[in-house]
Amino acid sequence: MAGLSAGQTLETALKTSRLLRPSRWPLEQALAKAAGASGVFLHLPAHRRGAGRPPSAVALPWPYDLPELPEIGGPLERDGAIADSQQQVAQGLGAERSWYGVNGASGLLQACLLAAAQRPGQLLLPRNLHRSLLHGCALAGVTPSLYSPPIDPLTGLWQPLPPEQLERLLQQVGPVSLLVLVSPTYQGLASDLPALVAIAHRYGVAVLVDEAHGGHFGFDSSLPVCALAAGADLVVHSVHKSLGGLGQSAALHAQGAAFAPAALEQSLGWLQTSSPSAVLMLSAEQAYRHHCSATGRRQLRGRLQQARALREQLLAAGIPLLMNDDPLRLLLHTGAWGCSGAEADAWLLGRGVIAECPELLSLTFCLGLGPSRGVGRQLLKALQQLRQANGGPPLPPLQPPPFPLISPLALSPKQAWAQLSEVVPLGQASGRIAAELLCPYPPGIPVVLPGERLEAERLEWLQQQQRLWAGQIPDTVRVLV
Ligand SMILES: Cc1ncc(COP(=O)(O)O)c(C=O)c1O
């Protein structure tokens, strides 16, 4: 049914449309088919299609989908069950305040930027930022400065920010309203947060840690120190990515005096729906409650042990897994077999193995919180077949992009996205201001940001990469007129 014809009512159109028959609606069908399929599911959310959901959690039924009734309230209400639940989460984690979010870590990161934009000083963001942070800058109308953590040429992956680099950075920049760190990365690489936060605080700089992928870190001593324990002022968890909540569930935790709760709540309110889903927040409560319990911590320890055993099994069979800091993320160095992460991902997907985050030279498998016993044999077989079918000489290392230690954007992303722009060949863009995000290696390294002035060295590098990785890097860029 494509639009109503003259004189037709919706009622008559619905009667005659064949497309809209009850059996033809697509989402339920597609979800039911996907949910019933067999395969090796190593993708997010971390509950692994329910296999790793908190065992004591009540099923999430329709009658629980309630509005902000007085006894329930909402994330920004003083009273009610949600306020009490958030307080319990804060207590469990050692934070001063916690708020649930129902638009993923994305929405909460953006609220933090909106709050930081009210303070004097610049925003310092990592180049390996999640795009929601750039969108947050656009919403706030601020012009951030970007710092670049090291990239490992062999794996093409962003590395943790070395504390010495942060020290040099903070010596160079003026007043900072907020420093954002990403730790761990998608691939489970964690920074030395206690050292980084201590340096930032020595310079009087408040720190937000995007710990979307590391919500579980605080719950087992074999994992890296979590952001709250490291003293970060603000910490964002993607509860669905790392703690077993339903998709979109997330939480923001705050401690210290850098941000008044009222200022954070104002920004949260600007972005929050007026009907936050009680079911999503319940799933966040269940996830935190489980992890805070002795059973949950025992279960996590068990999952970590299984994951480490699986890693050993795969390594012993010659599978090139890279080192990282989260055993629940297995990181395949596809470049060692001569194929890109994207090629490996597409090949595996066709054989029922669903992975995450295909990069130029690697692919990530998320074991999540579901049991990984039983996964090993199937995964090993699929990987051995992948090597047979696609294996070749190792891919050349990536020549890291020539990013300056710190690049202040020339314009805010908001201005860059809003102004008139044109597409020009890379060779003719020197000195121009980019109007788009260029993130050629799927999905990883943003080599050009909207609002960034393009210098000759970066454009030469892009052209060189374009020759090497034709198809992955465009030979043009959109710039402001
Ligand atoms: C580092 C990082 N931060 C934040 C996010 C956003 O998380 P969410 O999907 O919960 O909005 C992602 C999503 O991939 C991410 O990788």
Side-chain angles (χ1 to χ4, degrees):
M1 194 174 72
L4 298 179
S5 46
Q8 199 181 26
T9 64
L10 183 59
E11 203 184 0
T12 53
L14 285 173
K15 272 187 194 145
T16 52
S17 166
R18 291 175 59 236
L19 267 181
L20 294 179
R21 283 185 187 157
S23 62
R24 296 290 298 272
W25 284 81
L27 185 58
E28 186 174 311
Q29 270 187 35
L31 289 178
K33 187 170 169 216
S38 55
V40 184
F41 305 123
L42 299 175
H43 58 79
L44 297 173
H47 59 66
R48 284 252 310 275
R49 300 189 174 208
R53 69 176 185 275
S56 59
V58 291
L60 296 169
W62 288 88
Y64 282 64
D65 192 21
L66 292 169
E68 293 183 323
L69 298 171
E71 67 274 27
I72 294 170
L76 303 177
E77 304 289 328
R78 229 168 236 287
D79 301 312
I82 291 173
D84 294 345
S85 174
Q86 292 179 156
Q87 206 181 341
Q88 261 176 249
V89 169
Q91 257 172 25
L93 269 67
E96 280 163 31
R97 293 290 303 267
S98 296
W99 293 270
Y100 295 136
V102 295
N103 184 22
S106 302
L108 297 175
L109 291 169
Q110 288 168 348
C112 292
L113 291 200
L114 290 180
Q118 316 277 327
R119 295 152 51 102
Q122 56 183 315
L123 274 175
L124 269 187
L125 305 183
R127 240 172 210 286
N128 58 337
L129 80 187
H130 185 255
R131 62 177 183 267
S132 58
L133 285 166
L134 266 191
H135 300 161
C137 290
L139 290 174
V142 294
T143 309
S145 290
L146 279 296
Y147 66 89
S148 174
I151 295 175
D152 173 32
L154 208 61
T155 60
L157 292 176
W158 293 102
Q159 299 300 297
L161 179 68
E164 322 73 74
Q165 189 177 331
L166 178 63
E167 183 94 46
R168 268 189 292 137
L169 199 70
L170 294 178
Q171 278 163 4
Q172 281 186 22
V173 293
V176 173
S177 61
L178 185 68
L179 165 72
V180 179
L181 302 169
V182 180
S183 181
T185 61
Y186 218 118
Q187 296 79 11
L189 294 160
S191 297
D192 180 354
L193 288 179
L196 293 171
V197 174
I199 292 170
H201 283 174
R202 190 150 38 76
Y203 283 81
V205 170
V207 181
L208 159 64
V209 179
D210 175 354
E211 202 173 45
H213 295 281
H216 55 306
F217 275 17
F219 297 104
D220 192 273
S221 56
S222 71
L223 293 170
V225 176
C226 70
L228 279 167
D233 303 271
L234 301 174
V235 179
V236 171
H237 287 161
S238 189
V239 177
H240 64 105
K241 280 184 161 51
S242 50
L243 287 155
L246 287 177
Q248 281 186 229
S249 56
L252 164 65
H253 311 284
Q255 61 185 350
F259 285 88
L264 291 168
E265 288 190 332
Q266 186 183 51
S267 307
L268 287 165
W270 286 337
L271 296 178
Q272 189 183 283
T273 164
S274 50
S275 324
S277 160
V279 172
L280 288 186
M281 291 184 280
L282 170 59
S283 93
E285 180 190 84
Q286 290 175 341
Y288 280 113
R289 184 184 70 179
H290 177 57
H291 282 280
C292 288
S293 71
T295 321
R297 291 201 304 282
R298 217 175 19 252
Q299 192 193 55
L300 177 61
R301 204 175 320 130
R303 297 290 186 247
L304 291 167
Q305 274 163 8
Q306 283 178 13
R308 290 187 179 107
L310 173 57
R311 181 183 162 81
E312 290 310 315
Q313 181 193 352
L314 295 175
L315 282 172
I319 306 297
L321 296 180
L322 295 165
M323 294 284 288
N324 65 0
D325 303 293
D326 182 1
L328 300 182
R329 302 275 160 108
L330 290 177
L331 191 46
L332 177 67
H333 187 198
T334 60
W337 285 348
C339 58
S340 71
E343 286 163 345
D345 189 39
W347 193 91
L348 288 168
L349 200 57
R351 281 138 194 96
V353 179
I354 309 184
E356 280 274 338
C357 201
E359 294 268 350
L360 191 63
L361 302 168
S362 69
L363 185 63
T364 301
F365 299 99
C366 296
L367 298 176
L369 300 162
S372 48
R373 240 185 243 123
V375 167
R377 204 173 35 82
Q378 283 172 287
L379 182 61
L380 177 58
K381 192 165 155 218
L383 292 178
Q384 285 167 333
Q385 288 170 348
L386 168 71
R387 175 171 41 187
Q388 261 172 12
N390 298 275
L395 292 181
L398 175 77
Q399 188 191 334
F403 296 132
L405 181 62
I406 179 137
S407 10
L409 294 192
L411 279 183
S412 74
K414 180 181 182 176
Q415 288 167 304
W417 271 317
Q419 287 185 18
L420 279 181
S421 59
E422 61 177 346
V423 175
V424 298
L426 288 173
Q428 292 170 25
S430 184
R432 306 283 297 269
I433 295 178
E436 65 176 347
L437 176 73
L438 216 61
C439 201
Y441 305 119
I445 302 176
V447 286
V448 170
L449 296 162
E452 189 166 27
R453 193 176 294 284
L454 297 167
E455 76 283 8
E457 196 189 357
R458 180 108 50 96
L459 292 163
E460 269 163 37
W461 176 86
L462 275 168
Q463 286 172 292
Q464 197 187 29
Q465 295 299 305
Q466 212 267 327
R467 287 190 289 275
L468 275 174
W469 307 96
Q472 299 236 32
I473 307 230
D475 52 5
T476 57
V477 59
R478 182 170 284 282
V479 292
L480 297 185
V481 292

